[in-house]
Amino acid sequence: MIVWINGAFGAGKTTTARELIELIPNSTLFDPEVIGGALTHLLPPKHLAEVGDFQDLPIWRRLVIDTAAAMLAELGGTLVVPMTLLRQEYRDEIFGGLAARRITVRHVLLAPAETILRERMAGREIPPDLPDGDIRIRQWSYDHIEPYRTALASWLTTDAHPVDNGARTPYETAVRIVEAVGSGAVPVCDIVQTPEPTAETLAAGVLLFDEQDRVLLVDPTYKAGWEFPGGVVEPGEAPARAGIREVAEETGIRLEDVPRLLVVDWEQPRPPGYGGLRLLFDGGRLDSAQAGRVLLPGPELRDWRFVTEQEAADLLPPVRYERLRWALRARERGAALYLEAGVPTA
């Protein structure tokens, strides 16, 4: 199990986490900032300069998942993780990756009043050997107050269990967290658990169109980037039927007819992924009434939208976009295409 302590910079996450591991038997502290520090030695400075925060690096998010899983496999027990997560898509990617490894996460938010946050930021001790540390670290904290407000107003308070530690010591806050976790007041995060593949997979996606011929894309909680409705074909399941099943599970739309095949795309293995065959089917056009009935089962999908081919280019990863692009050409021509890594063969 992981107890993830979220909150603004200066909320007291690390000091509370240190108290927490003294109260929870067989628990270990894991600070993901260590991963960020290591990346400054592993990645080229030019690459690091392209992002404003190490959380924006996909490698950081992946390493947080992998390191947490490795620590639990090695040590067992409970991992206490003090880390600010203000972007919901990063929270979904990390927690979804942990859920895929069957690791449960209990999400706690330290939520002192903003006036107290600012007082703590102003009084924060800065290492004396850090050049310009006093100015840079305090300014960094102040700059993240507005993103913290935005997260509070949109998703954070409905996702995490809040603990007001404004008038509590770190020890008193840790005691409150232990009580809340033990009583079940902090539930296991409600996020889809999709086991990571151990070999090549067969996946089926279905393209659904609105009356303007825009295609439906969905934003999964369990991985980064937009996708088509669909998923992995289960053993013994027909791919087209798997697409029908996934569309119903993800969007609430039940297709009456077996969709027509548009493309078969071989996805090249790229560690840590295994690749495999990706099929896209034509699920047909939805009228305005059907499109208005699209539902999202919260734990699995964050959002959905109908987009033009040009808009899809900005949302989909490159290989996935190429798959869509050729599927649309196949739909126009009425003939299926075979692709390898998004490129049609002769």
Side-chain angles (χ1 to χ4, degrees):
M1 177 182 74
I2 288 177
V3 177
W4 192 289
I5 305 177
N6 205 344
F9 296 96
K13 301 180 298 297
T14 302
T15 52
T16 299
R18 292 195 183 110
E19 297 286 355
L20 205 54
I21 61 172
E22 299 298 324
L23 297 173
I24 300 177
N26 191 22
S27 61
T28 307
L29 177 67
F30 167 44
D31 190 344
E33 284 200 13
V34 173
I35 305 294
L39 289 177
T40 63
H41 302 287
L42 297 173
L43 297 179
K46 181 180 178 181
H47 188 75
L48 291 167
E50 293 174 355
V51 299
D53 188 328
F54 57 72
Q55 290 196 9
D56 297 328
L57 293 166
I59 188 175
W60 178 82
R61 302 192 296 273
R62 179 80 195 193
L63 284 174
V64 168
I65 298 168
D66 291 343
T67 305
M71 289 183 68
L72 283 172
E74 181 78 16
L75 302 171
T78 299
L79 215 57
V80 178
V81 183
M83 190 69 221
T84 298
L85 282 178
L86 301 182
R87 295 184 60 169
Q88 188 179 16
E89 61 268 32
Y90 292 173
R91 171 269 183 202
D92 291 342
E93 182 181 347
I94 294 171
F95 287 13
L98 294 167
R101 291 161 172 78
R102 297 296 188 259
I103 298 171
T104 58
V105 179
R106 298 180 187 269
H107 190 190
V108 176
L109 172 67
L110 299 188
E114 186 175 318
T115 53
I116 294 176
L117 272 177
R118 290 182 177 273
E119 289 174 5
R120 291 178 180 176
M121 291 175 188
R124 184 174 180 175
E125 293 185 7
I126 307 298
D129 57 342
L130 190 63
D132 299 325
D134 184 79
I135 296 173
R136 289 192 297 108
I137 291 180
R138 283 191 173 81
Q139 189 58 50
W140 175 270
S141 300
Y142 292 135
D143 288 346
H144 283 77
I145 288 179
E146 188 56 40
Y148 173 63
R149 286 188 195 134
T150 301
L152 281 177
S154 57
W155 68 275
L156 192 49
T157 50
T158 59
D159 186 84
H161 178 80
V163 174
D164 185 350
N165 66 326
R168 293 188 175 97
T169 65
Y171 173 78
E172 292 169 339
T173 303
V175 170
R176 176 60 64 93
I177 292 172
V178 169
E179 292 172 349
V181 170
S183 68
V186 184
V188 172
C189 283
D190 187 18
I191 193 166
V192 68
Q193 295 190 7
T194 304
E196 291 222 331
T198 56
E200 290 188 358
T201 54
L202 173 62
V206 179
L207 301 185
L208 299 167
F209 301 87
D210 66 2
E211 292 176 331
Q212 302 173 46
D213 249 10
R214 297 178 302 176
V215 66
L216 177 66
L217 297 183
V218 295
D219 186 10
T221 59
Y222 51 88
K223 62 180 176 180
W226 289 73
E227 209 8 317
F228 322 107
V232 174
V233 179
E234 301 292 342
E237 187 177 30
R241 300 291 177 180
I244 293 173
R245 171 181 57 76
E246 289 284 352
V247 166
E249 290 175 359
E250 293 183 356
T251 69
I253 295 172
R254 302 192 178 277
L255 300 177
E256 300 295 332
D257 301 319
V258 176
R260 180 169 60 92
L261 179 65
L262 294 175
V263 296
V264 177
D265 187 11
W266 175 73
E267 186 173 287
Q268 183 178 0
R270 294 186 183 277
Y274 289 90
L277 285 179
R278 308 291 180 251
L279 281 61
L280 274 183
F281 294 89
D282 184 357
R285 185 176 287 113
L286 305 176
D287 60 33
S288 57
Q290 291 173 308
R293 290 197 295 268
V294 174
L295 303 174
L296 289 180
E300 190 162 350
L301 297 177
R302 185 188 306 114
D303 197 4
W304 64 271
R305 67 179 69 168
F306 285 101
V307 299
T308 63
E309 182 177 345
Q310 183 177 357
E311 290 169 336
D314 295 328
L315 295 175
L316 294 173
V319 172
R320 212 171 290 161
Y321 169 69
E322 287 300 308
R323 193 177 303 149
L324 171 65
R325 189 167 73 87
W326 287 109
L328 295 177
R329 302 295 84 77
R331 183 171 180 254
E332 293 168 356
R333 299 169 186 173
L337 289 171
Y338 171 71
L339 316 177
E340 291 183 355
V343 178
T345 58

